[in-house]
Amino acid sequence: MNKKCEDKKCHKTSIGGQAVIEGVMMRGPKKSAISVRKSSGEIVTEISDVSSILQKSKILKLPIIRGIISFFESLVTGTKALMFSAELADIEDDDYKEKKKNMTEEEILKEEKKQGKIMTAAIWGSVFVSLAFSVGLFMMLPAFLVGLLKDYLIPSIPGIFATLLEGFIRITIFIIYIFLASLMKDIRRVFEYHGAEHKTIFCYESGEELTVENARKFSRLHPRCGTSFLIIVMVVSIIVFSFISWDNQWMRLLLRLLLLPVVAGISYEFIKLCGRSSGLISRIVSAPGKWLQKITTKEPDDSQLEVAIASLKAVIPENKEEAKW
């Protein structure tokens, strides 16, 4: 952050967000909002109540368990936000737009109801596919490659070094993947909104008025970012997986898969700790994620900051104490 928080207005907040297509989704303690700039230039904000199964049982709020649940809920919420933002941003199939011109209001409502059911199925399908792809590419593939290396080329390599090599390959694949994605024009736009989200939250945490001029001054690198979470997941996985024997390749892969929720839960506690504290340990833990955010966030323009501010303002509770850690 470019400006130090030294007055009593400064606070750490539990409010978080996500960049979406031509917009930003913010999630507060009671409300979530998606603000999107339409092709006409208008900013549209959709607000909904926050609901989580974490509120249904005290057991679900226990450390590690709450992280596992939050991880899967975030996947569903994030995918839903992306699809919803595509609708708000007027991203529709050209054939469907032409078809709507010749439809009655009743036919349009019926078609939209049908599209809603298709979208629900698509959301869950996207969550499954993205999770399977991520697990396969970033978790299972490195383990499989190092397993082959240990079984057939260097069988004498100690297990701990094999685990470290696996972690290095995993992080390398992840960074290359993110870098290549950042070269795409549409993804770069999303990364700019990602930067707008971080600057806006930093501005709110500083106690300053939420304006474009104020938000522009702050850093686009935030310790509670999902990018930081993913890096922490990879580091924690190295530690957790070091306790798994390398004797059986397929059993090792299965155990890694089964332990992924535990890894996610532990990582959640780390990222939550980093969000609450600004001490030395917190800065060390969040540093790798901030480095990677130099790729996953880009400097936003004023119009993108306006969208992020609109989304954030919509979820700030009247009693601002509720938004604090």
Side-chain angles (χ1 to χ4, degrees), residues 185-203:
K185 182 180 178 181
D186 291 342
I187 298 298
R188 185 179 179 85
R189 286 285 297 174
V190 174
F191 285 178
E192 288 170 358
Y193 276 106
H194 191 187
E197 173 221 328
H198 287 181
K199 283 174 172 283
T200 306
I201 289 178
F202 260 140
C203 183

Side-chain angles (χ1 to χ4, degrees), residues 65-88:
I65 295 176
R66 64 187 177 186
I68 295 172
I69 293 172
S70 295
F71 173 69
F72 285 106
E73 284 189 339
S74 295
L75 281 175
V76 175
T77 302
T79 304
K80 188 182 296 185
L82 282 169
M83 292 186 171
F84 192 59
S85 66
E87 286 188 357
L88 290 180

Side-chain angles (χ1 to χ4, degrees), residues 66-111:
R66 64 187 177 186
I68 295 172
I69 293 172
S70 295
F71 173 69
F72 285 106
E73 284 189 339
S74 295
L75 281 175
V76 175
T77 302
T79 304
K80 188 182 296 185
L82 282 169
M83 292 186 171
F84 192 59
S85 66
E87 286 188 357
L88 290 180
D90 299 327
I91 299 177
E92 287 184 341
D93 181 79
D94 290 338
D95 292 338
Y96 180 58
K97 285 183 178 180
E98 191 64 32
K99 181 181 177 181
K100 283 175 67 175
K101 294 179 181 179
N102 302 317
M103 295 170 65
T104 64
E105 289 188 12
E106 184 178 349
E107 288 174 331
I108 291 175
L109 288 174
K110 186 176 180 179
E111 181 66 22

